[in-house]
Amino acid sequence: MSQTTGAKKKKMSLEKRHNLTGWIFLTPATLMIAVMSFWPMIQAFILSFQTGMANKLKFSGFTNYIRMFQDKIFMQSLGNTFLYLIIQVPIMLILALILASMLNNKNLRCKGLFRTAIFLPCATSLVSYAIIFRSLFGVDGFINSVLLKLGILNTGYNFLGNATSAKIVIIIALVWRWTGYNMVFYLSGLQNIEYSVYEAAKIDGASPLQTFFKITVPLLKPTILLTTIMSTNGTLQLFDESVNLTKGGPAYATITMSHYIYDQSFKQVPKFGYSAAMSFLIFILVAILAFIQMKVGDKRD
């Protein structure tokens, strides 16, 4: 009896030592995250209820939050961001899923080359690819040169100077850059599906389209949910394309929420309280959309 008790004490002592060792390794990272992330978030939340310059801040309640919905430029940036979200995210994810399914074919040659080529845009610098697209769609750029030679246009069209075409350029740029990134997630998920499942479906007479919708999509559902949430989060915080590609123009027609927050904080007279309030609205939108997507996408009992 005493031996059993001693063994239990020894076992408990070993478990406690393991737990203590784990916490010792976790503590530095936990402290860094708390100091560098959570504490600034708390300060920003407090700041969102204040107005005035940095050295003369005063509590003003919900003034900044009310002001957001009276600010026409911010409301335009909100509309632009959701337009990019509604159009670009579905196109990008569907294209990524189709490409992943094609590149998962074991009989396809040069798969590594195709995978690398599709993923490479994701590895391109944000500023570099914005410059490339500015050159492509400039008045004297490559796209206009091709259209002029084909006789579709008589003079160069200012793609970035027109509100509608500038938004389309941003959407094309986003799809070009991030499709390969999401394709890698889908490809990883597809490689975890036994190929015998597809062979059995082929023997049963299932067409490629039926196989895609009845096998591939259902089995990739968790990955599709993950990429949807990540893409939604990223699009709501869209910044680089608006700043580097169109500079928010023409006349704020393409500006995003993050771009407008940056302008209010650093380019115009600093309004840090107002900027903090707008930032928390983005945080709330991300949380709400992620929650909805989780509820809609997760059908487990």
Side-chain angles (χ1 to χ4, degrees), residues 82-232:
F82 270 91
L83 178 70
Y84 302 142
L85 175 67
I86 292 165
I87 297 175
Q88 175 258 332
V89 170
I91 293 172
M92 176 183 65
L93 295 183
I94 291 168
L95 188 57
L97 186 55
I98 292 169
L99 288 170
S101 299
M102 291 170 64
L103 294 177
N104 192 50
N105 187 344
K106 66 177 184 179
N107 298 318
L108 181 67
R109 295 182 179 180
C110 303
K111 286 188 287 188
L113 177 64
F114 292 130
R115 291 172 184 176
T116 304
I118 295 169
F119 181 77
L120 268 179
C122 181
T124 309
S125 163
L126 286 164
V127 175
S128 299
Y129 108 92
I131 293 170
I132 290 168
F133 270 82
R134 281 184 68 87
S135 300
L136 281 173
F137 288 93
V139 177
D140 56 350
F142 176 75
I143 301 298
N144 268 313
S145 298
V146 171
L147 294 174
L148 287 168
K149 285 182 180 180
L150 291 173
I152 296 171
L153 295 177
N154 295 320
T155 56
Y157 183 75
N158 188 3
F159 287 99
L160 300 177
N162 178 275
T164 303
S165 58
K167 289 174 184 175
I168 292 171
V169 171
I170 287 179
I171 290 168
I172 293 170
L174 288 168
V175 170
W176 177 82
R177 179 173 170 80
W178 295 111
T179 297
Y181 177 80
N182 289 285
M183 183 200 70
V184 170
F185 284 95
Y186 294 144
L187 201 53
S188 176
L190 285 169
Q191 289 173 352
N192 289 324
I193 300 171
E194 291 291 335
Y195 202 78
S196 58
V197 177
Y198 291 103
E199 288 178 338
K202 191 175 181 181
I203 292 168
D204 289 339
S207 67
L209 203 60
Q210 288 174 321
T211 304
F212 180 78
F213 284 107
K214 298 293 183 180
I215 295 175
T216 302
V217 173
L219 290 177
L220 279 182
K221 195 174 181 181
T223 310
I224 293 170
L225 179 61
L226 171 68
T227 53
T228 303
I229 291 172
M230 290 195 306
S231 300
T232 300

